[in-house]
């Protein structure tokens, strides 16, 4: 578990972070982006690119961002709405394309 995208990304989706990631591990849900916890190489390049400071390093996450540490992982490990299987490890976000679904935490917008 390395860098994660937290609540401030919801409904903003600026996507400046995508241009910085050397391993293409930032995936697009519906209302938010998610970092794959195993594919991320912990380089930190994406963090300063986000204008709303949605990207945080998992070990120092606090408050609402802490909820998103597990939630970024859930996006890949649990079955999303209207799908039969979890995303797993797609090995690259641009190849997968826009997923168009979110975790229950984000879909319900219980945190922002
Ligand atoms: Fe979201 Fe910030 Fe990236 S708003 S899409 S985490 S640049
Ligand atoms: Fe990618 Fe590095 Fe961020 S691997 S998700 S740019 S920490």
């Amino acid at each position: 578990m390395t860098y994660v995208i937290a609540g401030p990304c919801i409904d903003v989706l600026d996507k400046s972070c995508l241009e910085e990631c050397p391993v293409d591990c930032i995936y697009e849900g519906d209302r938010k982006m998610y970092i794959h916890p195993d594919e991320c190489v912990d380089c930190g390049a994406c963090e300063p690119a986000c204008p709303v400071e949605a990207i945080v390093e998992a070990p120092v996450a606090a408050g609402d961002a802490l909820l998103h540490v597990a939630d970024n992982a859930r996006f890949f490990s649990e079955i999303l709405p209207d799908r039969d299987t979890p995303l797993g490890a797609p090995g690259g976000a641009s190849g997968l394309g826009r997923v168009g679904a979110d975790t229950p935490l984000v879909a319900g917008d219980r945190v922002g």
Side-chain angles (χ1 to χ4, degrees):
M1 189 65 71
T2 49
Y3 281 76
V4 299
I5 295 180
C9 180
I10 298 172
D11 295 332
V12 176
L13 298 163
D14 178 83
K15 298 188 181 176
S16 296
C17 56
L18 302 187
E19 296 164 25
E20 305 301 328
C21 183
V23 295
D24 192 24
C25 72
I26 304 175
Y27 292 77
E28 184 172 3
D30 181 24
R31 301 178 57 198
K32 180 182 175 290
M33 310 293 286
Y34 302 80
I35 293 175
H36 196 295
D38 299 325
E39 295 177 358
C40 173
V41 296
D42 200 18
C43 70
C46 56
E47 184 186 15
C50 179
V52 294
E53 299 182 356
I55 303 176
V56 296
E57 201 173 357
V60 298
D64 283 349
L66 200 50
L67 296 174
H68 286 277
V69 174
D71 199 62
N72 273 245
R74 251 182 242 123
F75 182 72
F76 303 95
S77 64
E78 296 185 2
I79 300 173
L80 297 169
D82 298 324
R83 290 191 169 248
D84 297 326
T85 57
L87 292 176
S94 48
L96 183 68
R98 184 177 184 273
V99 173
D102 287 308
T103 59
L105 177 77
V106 173
D109 200 10
R110 292 198 296 269
V111 296

